[in-house]
Amino acid sequence: MIARGVRSQPDACAVPYPSDPEIMNRLASGELGALGELYDRYHEPLRRFIARATSDAEDVDDLVHAAFLAAAKSASQYDGRASCRPWLIGIAVQLLRRRRQGFGRLLAVLSALSGSRSASVDPRPRLEARGEVERALGRISEPKRVTFLMAKVEGLSCEEIALALGVPIGTVWTRLHAARRELRQALEEGAEP
Amino acid sequence: MTPAPCPRLFEVEAASDGRLTGLALGNFQRHMTACPACRREAQALAALDEALRAIPTRQLDELQTRREKTRLLAAFDRELVKPRPRWSAPWRLWPAPLAALVAGLFLFWRLRAPQPLPVHAASVVVRAGSAALWSEQSEGPLDQIRLERESLWLHVDHSSQKAGRVVVLLPDGELEDKGTTFTVSAEGGRTTRVAVQDGSVVLRLRGQLPVALGPGETWSPDPPPVASAGASAALAPLPSVTLSPLTHIASRPSSAEPVTSALAPDPALDFRAALATLDAGDNAGAAAAFENFLLKHPRDPRAEDAAYLRIIAFRRSGAEGSMKQAAQEYLRRFPAGFRRAEVQALAP
């Protein structure tokens, strides 16, 4: 049997890859699928950042969840920059700040009430497996830690960090310098017998 | 011997953090190629950054990722479909104080707004003739205007709650406003003319029964020999007074017949006049007025009221005997009267 025609496969390259501003526009109009796309695109780096900033705390997933929900609610205020990542990290930093002020307890209660949270993991093995750098990172204050992670791990510019944190750029430089000094000091102390 | 540290070592961190830009950055990068200390510092900072990036974090497997995504989308979906929060209780309450504020401002504005006419009392407008001799005195809700000579035109706004009672004290009696607009004249120690443009008044002259005057009616003590000339002379000084046409001027009959029969054949006016007299506290006069009403209008629907109010007027005046007699007359005349029970208690 001879096939008279060839059915062409859809060209993967022809599938439009929406830009972040396009996704945010759709999200602002209440499109549920847009949030799914945003999650697929950024949940890993966002989760990694929050995990490092919180020493992989129990409520990392809740914070990721809350960050995406907050992003969806404020999608109409998105400033149109090409990548959402700095913006999402900025939202996460705000949540971390609230968490430090007691928001974490609220999240924990809400999560417990919802009953749909993923199973918790025993943190002890993870704590034991922590390396020196992680321990040193956990010893510096959260504002410095977050600033340092944003700059050195997430690769954000100091201007982006200043914008996300709502602080002057000089404060970002100061925090970076202090965080680096404290980290190195902690590592040197840890290395001593 | 330890070599001295490079004085530009601090610039390594500055370059790493983006504090060096442009020519300064290029200059330092050239320096670094030749400075082992700065190179070592840069490598140490890079190693620290790399160590940070290498910090292990707990990763979600694919199933956990899907669960988290589903949880997120479900939460967002709940946000989308849940009804928008209506006004919370505090916001539902704000219209009440706002409405009160608006009402207060409106009242304040109304009270502060200039009146269009010269107001002598809260809501009484008086326009006096050029030779009028008069004065005004307000005591609470009672506004007394004393007229000695010539004419006054008065307008009383009864739509205002501040109007109260307005009484014009005349040389030989008084005139109580029951309506809105009227003109009153006095000369030589006696009232010479009352003309009502709108509403009604009750004229109470000493030694005479009260007279109720309605819209367009005029009272004068003597038949005007030349009505138009007299009226014009009295009204000339009042530039803005609008009087009823001269054809409305009625002359009082010269016979001994009560004034009301000539001026107010309407029983309603007679009843109002009697009631006004009672309200004014002239109990004896009111009793006489109600008796006169019963004589003139025996079949009027208000006859029973007049008979009852006559009893009340006697009671207020302290005329016990007259009151009992009036009560017996009431019971005899209205055996199934509406106020029979009350009157029986007053009758002997």
Side-chain angles (χ1 to χ4, degrees):
Chain A
M1 191 173 178
I2 301 172
R4 291 287 179 186
V6 179
R7 180 177 291 177
S8 62
Q9 294 294 320
D11 185 2
C13 296
V15 177
Y17 184 79
S19 66
D20 284 3
E22 287 171 342
I23 291 178
M24 296 308 291
N25 276 337
R26 287 162 48 207
L27 191 54
S29 63
E31 190 180 317
L32 189 63
L35 184 60
E37 290 180 49
L38 193 70
Y39 183 84
D40 290 341
R41 199 171 287 187
Y42 290 115
H43 82 273
E44 281 184 0
L46 191 64
R47 190 178 191 288
R48 199 167 50 235
F49 169 77
I50 294 173
R52 287 194 178 112
T54 62
S55 301
D56 219 354
E58 281 291 286
D59 55 353
V60 169
D61 292 326
D62 292 326
L63 286 167
V64 173
H65 182 96
F68 276 107
L69 274 184
K73 286 178 185 173
S74 54
S76 60
Q77 299 166 19
Y78 183 61
D79 55 11
R81 70 183 88 171
S83 173
C84 276
R85 199 163 63 92
W87 188 66
L88 287 170
I89 289 175
I91 291 174
V93 170
Q94 302 296 328
L95 292 176
L96 287 172
R97 187 181 298 166
R98 287 190 215 171
R99 173 182 178 270
R100 193 172 70 241
Q101 296 164 353
F103 188 63
R105 288 192 292 275
L106 177 62
L107 274 178
V109 170
L110 291 176
S111 299
L113 289 174
S114 70
S116 59
R117 190 180 160 205
S118 55
S120 63
V121 179
D122 184 357
R124 281 173 299 180
R126 209 172 52 251
L127 289 172
E128 290 164 3
R130 274 183 184 174
E132 293 296 322
V133 176
E134 190 180 4
R135 272 197 289 272
L137 188 64
R139 287 168 61 179
I140 64 176
S141 69
E142 188 173 288
K144 293 174 195 167
R145 183 167 64 241
V146 165
T147 305
F148 201 70
L149 287 172
M150 290 172 88
K152 302 305 170 185
V153 178
E154 301 305 323
L156 303 185
S157 69
C158 290
E159 289 81 2
E160 286 175 320
I161 296 170
L163 187 68
L165 298 180
V167 297
I169 193 168
T171 303
V172 176
W173 288 336
T174 304
R175 285 182 184 176
L176 286 177
H177 173 74
R180 188 180 287 113
R181 189 186 65 235
E182 290 175 24
L183 268 177
R184 293 176 83 173
Q185 188 177 351
L187 288 172
E188 286 169 8
E189 287 172 359
E192 290 174 359
Chain B
M1 182 176 170
T2 305
C6 176
R8 300 185 68 178
L9 203 57
F10 72 95
E11 290 184 61
V12 177
E13 188 177 308
S16 173
D17 292 348
R19 301 202 300 272
L20 288 183
T21 54
L23 286 176
L25 181 60
N27 185 300
F28 179 70
Q29 284 173 338
R30 280 194 298 276
H31 163 79
M32 211 160 42
T33 58
C35 179
C38 288
R39 264 205 315 278
R40 278 196 302 275
E41 177 69 4
Q43 287 167 354
L45 296 187
L48 181 62
D49 296 349
E50 186 57 39
L52 284 174
R53 281 191 287 271
I55 291 175
T57 56
R58 183 171 56 91
Q59 298 293 315
L60 297 182
D61 59 30
E62 188 173 346
L63 183 59
Q64 287 173 321
T65 303
R66 284 188 180 182
R67 279 180 187 158
E68 287 300 312
K69 182 178 177 182
T70 303
R71 186 164 76 100
L72 173 68
L73 296 182
F76 184 58
D77 189 50
R78 281 196 298 273
E79 289 287 324
L80 288 177
V81 299
K82 79 177 181 184
R84 291 291 170 194
R86 300 175 70 84
W87 287 358
S88 58
W91 286 104
R92 272 201 299 269
L93 294 175
W94 76 262
L98 181 65
L101 178 65
V102 170
L105 289 174
F106 178 73
L107 283 174
F108 179 75
W109 172 76
R110 286 299 300 260
L111 292 174
R112 294 291 302 270
Q115 298 297 319
L117 293 171
V119 177
H120 290 263
S123 53
V124 181
V125 180
V126 182
R127 288 178 182 168
S130 58
L133 181 61
W134 68 286
S135 61
E136 183 188 17
Q137 184 178 4
S138 294
E139 292 180 5
L142 177 62
D143 197 341
Q144 290 183 324
I145 297 167
R146 184 177 296 278
L147 174 63
E148 302 290 346
R149 191 177 66 221
E150 228 237 9
S151 301
L152 294 178
W153 176 89
L154 295 100
H155 173 80
V156 183
D157 181 9
H158 279 275
S159 62
S160 167
Q161 291 185 348
K162 290 190 172 182
R165 286 180 65 209
V166 178
V167 175
V168 181
L169 300 176
L170 299 165
D172 54 348
E174 66 178 25
L175 181 71
E176 181 167 2
D177 164 75
K178 291 289 177 184
T180 54
T181 308
F182 59 95
T183 305
V184 56
S185 304
E187 205 64 58
R190 55 191 298 226
T191 305
T192 57
R193 185 174 181 274
V194 178
V196 180
Q197 285 93 60
D198 196 11
S200 65
V201 298
V202 175
L203 176 63
R204 288 186 284 268
L205 298 178
R206 282 190 285 275
Q208 297 186 28
L209 290 173
V211 179
L213 298 172
E217 292 180 334
T218 302
W219 175 92
S220 57
D222 299 308
V226 184
S228 60
S232 300
L235 300 174
L238 306 175
S240 61
V241 173
T242 304
L243 288 175
S244 57
L246 292 178
T247 52
H248 287 190
I249 296 176
S251 61
R252 181 186 177 186
S254 56
S255 66
E257 193 178 342
V259 176
T260 49
S261 64
L263 297 177
D266 184 359
L269 289 176
D270 286 347
F271 188 83
R272 277 208 321 252
L275 202 58
T277 306
L278 184 67
D279 290 342
D282 182 6
N283 298 315
F290 283 122
E291 185 175 358
N292 187 45
F293 180 91
L294 290 167
L295 289 172
K296 286 174 57 182
H297 314 288
R299 296 183 184 279
D300 189 88
R302 284 158 290 209
E304 184 191 345
D305 291 334
Y308 173 74
L309 292 172
R310 181 169 167 248
I311 301 168
I312 299 300
F314 279 131
R315 188 183 184 190
R316 287 183 182 175
S317 66
E320 191 72 15
S322 299
M323 182 197 74
K324 289 178 180 175
Q325 187 179 350
Q328 288 169 350
E329 288 175 11
Y330 174 96
L331 293 172
R332 191 166 50 249
R333 189 167 176 178
F334 307 100
F338 185 68
R339 297 185 174 88
R340 180 177 180 80
E342 297 168 61
V343 174
Q344 276 179 331
L346 297 173

